[in-house]
């Protein structure tokens, strides 16, 4: 083993590799919830005004911080390999978490927030890409679903920790970030033993053959937008993920606020309700998406989840926010999220683009989605204050209807096929046959 790989786990393959990679989503979601649940505490401790609070939100792992990280990480992943991100992104994350845990002023808190946001953003595209590339074709949804499972467990557990740590005040928030730091260290250790993606290595060998024969490499960024197959994939993936996230992303940051200010719940009740919601997401992710999406119609599963999400928000919007309403919403939305756009986006975004710019495409789309969430999150509180929650809820419902229509109409038939088979099927006439002829 090379010198720089001595401090690393051994034989990190199969489900152990899936666990090591998918936990990126745990610390991403955990970081968002840890920041959201402690925002008021930091505001009181440091005397933050609304501008500083807005900066923390906009540059966090929930918005622009992650968006910028994904843009950079996606490019580096395709250019230099999947392992380069695995080796370094969590070291950066740990520094950011330590900085937040030790913050005594606003610059420390803001800098730590930006670092964490960029680190988790860089890790998301490579996580989905690596798992999909290494998974057996008959288990790809199951393996990619592990990232969704980790993403769901993160908020569920972090909300529980936030509830338990509430009596400690700001110290409790610092301890939550320390727990994320410890988990990040464990994940980083496991990842050091991961092999490079075999599909990426084969792609690089293919590119080298082309260069040796004097063939001109096409510009990946230009090709991403000029090929018909790519444009169709972008419409599908941005359509379902952006419009779903305009609701789900805002929920992740503002739902406790809505429970408390519209429903009259206490902070403990709001955090407990969210914990239950995410628990149902964990359940449906595992028992429906991971168990069934490789065997049964993905369009059907997506459609059921999308319709459940729309119904959940109709109930929350038009009914008085009583306990029966809240319980119905939590059951429906929590279950829908486990088989919804997040899970299918993670799967389809790795299937529908060629290997040479698979992660780059994800980084660009993730940037657009997170930027959209940042803008909507900035507008949403003002919208609710001026026009009321019902108007905001109707807008959320419209977003969800748009995402449902796009997903149901454009869902691809990729089940049971290898990534190479999907790539040849989608790009054969435009790129791959041309290259094969020249070689």
């Amino acid at each position: 083993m090379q010198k720089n790989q001595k401090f690393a786990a051994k034989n990190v393959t199969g489900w152990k590799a899936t666990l090591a990679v998918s936990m990126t989503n745990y610390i991403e979601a955990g970081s968002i919830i840890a920041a959201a649940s402690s925002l008021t505490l930091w505001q009181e401790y440091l005397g933050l005004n609304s501008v500083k609070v807005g900066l923390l939100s906009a540059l966090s792992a929930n918005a622009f911080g992650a968006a910028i990280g994904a843009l950079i990480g996606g490019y580096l992943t395709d250019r230099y390999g999947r392992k380069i991100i695995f080796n370094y992104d969590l070291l950066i994350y740990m520094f950011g978490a330590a900085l937040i845990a030790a913050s005594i002023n606003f610059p420390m808190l803001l800098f730590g927030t930006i670092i964490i946001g960029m680190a988790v953003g860089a890790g998301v595209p490579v996580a989905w890409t690596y798992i999909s590339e290494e998974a057996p074709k008959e288990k790809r949804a199951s393996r990619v679903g592990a990232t969704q499972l980790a993403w769901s467990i993160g908020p569920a557990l972090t909300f529980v920790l936030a509830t338990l740590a509430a009596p400690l005040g700001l110290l409790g928030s610092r301890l939550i970030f320390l727990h994320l730091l410890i988990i990040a260290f464990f994940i980083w250790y496991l990842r050091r033993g991961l092999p490079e993606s075999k599909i990426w290595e084969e792609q690089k060998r293919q590119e080298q053959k082309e260069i040796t024969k004097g063939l001109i490499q096409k510009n990946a960024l230009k090709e991403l937008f000029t090929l018909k197959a790519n444009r169709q994939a972008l419409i599908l993936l941005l359509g379902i993920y952006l419009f779903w996230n305009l609701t789900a992303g805002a929920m992740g940051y503002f739902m406790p606020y809505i429970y408390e200010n519209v429903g009259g719940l206490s902070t403990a009740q709001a955090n407990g309700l969210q914990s239950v919601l995410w628990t149902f997401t964990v359940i449906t992710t595992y028992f429906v998406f991971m168990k069934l999406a490789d065997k049964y119609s993905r369009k059907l599963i997506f459609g059921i989840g999308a319709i459940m999400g729309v119904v959940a928000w109709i109930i929350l919007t038009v009914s008085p926010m009583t306990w029966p309403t809240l319980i119905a919403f939590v059951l429906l939305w929590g279950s829908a999220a486990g088989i919804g756009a997040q899970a299918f986006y993670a799967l389809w975004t790795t299937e529908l683009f060629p290997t040479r710019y698979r992660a780059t495409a994800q980084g660009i789309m993730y940037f657009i989605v997170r930027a959209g969430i940042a803008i909507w999150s900035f507008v949403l509180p003002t919208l609710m204050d001026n026009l009321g929650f019902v108007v905001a809820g109707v807008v959320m419902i419209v977003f969800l209807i748009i995402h449902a229509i796009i997903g149901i109409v454009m869902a691809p038939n990729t089940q049971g096929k290898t990534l190479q088979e999907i790539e040849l099927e989608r790009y054969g006439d435009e790129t791959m046959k041309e290259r094969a002829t020249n070689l």
Side-chain angles (χ1 to χ4, degrees):
M1 186 175 291
Q2 296 178 357
K3 183 178 180 180
N4 64 351
Q5 290 291 311
K6 286 183 178 180
F7 189 67
K10 298 180 180 179
N11 301 320
V12 183
T13 57
W15 272 106
K16 186 187 291 185
T18 299
L19 172 65
V21 176
S22 64
M23 286 299 287
T24 292
N25 289 59
Y26 174 90
I27 61 174
E28 178 207 11
S31 298
I32 293 171
I33 302 307
S37 63
S38 63
L39 193 58
T40 302
L41 298 173
W42 286 110
Q43 186 176 21
E44 294 174 354
Y45 173 67
L46 298 176
L48 305 180
N49 57 31
S50 58
V51 174
K52 292 181 178 179
V53 171
L55 278 175
L56 289 172
S57 174
L59 298 175
S60 68
N62 195 46
F64 278 120
I68 296 170
L71 200 61
I72 297 171
Y75 170 78
L76 293 177
T77 296
D78 285 330
R79 182 68 182 273
Y80 300 107
R82 308 338 187 187
K83 272 184 65 67
I84 188 172
I85 302 298
F86 294 149
N87 285 342
Y88 298 108
D89 70 321
L90 289 182
L91 294 176
I92 298 171
Y93 177 90
M94 285 185 274
F95 176 69
L99 201 59
I100 291 179
S103 289
I104 57 174
N105 54 48
F106 179 69
M108 287 180 68
L109 181 62
L110 180 63
F111 191 40
T113 298
I114 294 172
I115 291 173
I116 279 185
M118 293 185 66
V120 298
V124 169
V126 67
W128 291 336
T129 295
Y130 186 88
I131 290 176
S132 184
E133 289 177 348
E134 293 294 293
K137 65 179 182 179
E138 68 278 4
K139 296 182 179 179
R140 192 162 51 245
S142 177
R143 294 289 178 89
V144 173
T147 65
Q148 167 77 357
L149 190 66
W151 184 77
S152 306
I153 291 173
L157 182 56
T158 306
F159 270 119
V160 170
L161 292 176
T163 302
L164 295 175
L168 299 176
L170 192 58
L171 175 61
S173 174
R174 296 182 192 272
L175 292 175
I176 290 173
F177 276 101
L178 284 176
H179 121 272
L180 291 171
L181 186 155
I182 293 170
I183 291 176
F185 176 82
F186 174 71
I187 300 168
W188 173 79
Y189 172 75
L190 283 178
R191 286 180 173 185
R192 298 280 288 174
L194 289 170
E196 182 56 86
S197 164
K198 298 179 183 66
I199 291 179
W200 180 83
E201 289 180 326
E202 176 59 32
Q203 173 63 34
K204 284 302 174 182
R205 285 192 290 268
Q206 179 81 355
E207 290 180 6
Q208 188 59 46
K209 289 180 182 179
E210 294 184 10
I211 293 172
T212 301
K213 291 181 176 290
L215 300 178
I216 299 175
Q217 289 286 311
K218 291 185 178 181
N219 183 283
L221 186 60
K222 180 181 178 181
E223 190 174 295
L224 180 60
F225 295 101
T226 56
L227 292 181
K228 180 180 179 181
N230 284 339
R231 292 196 299 270
Q232 291 174 336
L234 289 171
I235 292 172
L236 166 66
L237 295 168
L238 285 175
I240 65 170
Y241 200 48
L242 174 60
F243 286 103
W244 181 82
N245 250 301
L246 289 175
T247 297
M251 272 188 62
Y253 213 84
F254 290 109
M255 208 60 207
Y257 173 88
I258 293 173
Y259 288 147
E260 294 171 34
N261 289 273
V262 180
L265 274 62
S266 68
T267 300
Q269 287 174 327
N271 288 338
L273 204 58
Q274 283 295 86
S275 180
V276 173
L277 184 150
W278 284 104
T279 299
F280 277 96
T281 303
V282 170
I283 292 170
T284 54
T285 297
Y286 181 76
F287 287 103
V288 182
F289 186 81
M290 294 179 66
K291 294 293 186 181
L292 303 181
D294 284 310
K295 301 176 182 178
Y296 300 99
S297 170
R298 293 174 179 174
K299 178 180 289 193
L300 175 62
I301 295 172
F302 173 87
I304 292 172
I307 292 171
M308 286 173 63
V310 172
V311 173
W313 269 90
I314 290 175
I315 291 173
L316 188 70
T317 301
V318 304
S319 304
M321 205 171 288
T322 59
W323 276 109
T325 298
L326 291 173
I327 291 171
F329 172 77
V330 163
L331 291 176
L332 282 169
W333 180 262
S335 300
I339 55 175
Q342 175 82 20
F344 279 98
Y345 173 84
L347 177 63
W348 288 336
T349 195
T350 62
E351 293 180 331
L352 301 183
F353 295 102
T355 301
R356 72 192 194 97
Y357 51 81
R358 178 171 291 128
T360 301
Q362 291 177 59
I364 292 171
M365 290 188 293
Y366 199 82
F367 176 86
I368 293 171
V369 170
R370 290 296 175 180
I373 294 173
I375 295 170
W376 176 236
S377 295
F378 179 77
V379 172
L380 182 59
T382 303
L383 179 66
M384 287 193 295
D385 287 344
N386 293 332
L387 299 178
F389 171 72
V390 172
V391 173
V394 169
V395 175
M396 301 279 205
I397 292 168
V398 171
F399 289 154
L400 292 175
I401 291 174
I402 293 172
H403 113 277
I405 292 172
I406 293 173
I408 293 172
V409 171
M410 299 185 66
N413 180 23
T414 53
Q415 190 171 334
K417 302 173 184 177
T418 66
L419 294 181
Q420 294 92 333
E421 289 171 343
I422 296 170
E423 187 171 336
L424 181 60
E425 182 180 286
R426 290 175 56 78
Y427 297 90
D429 293 336
E430 297 182 80
T431 57
M432 294 187 69
K433 288 181 180 178
E434 175 189 339
R435 290 176 183 170
T437 300
N438 288 330
L439 291 175

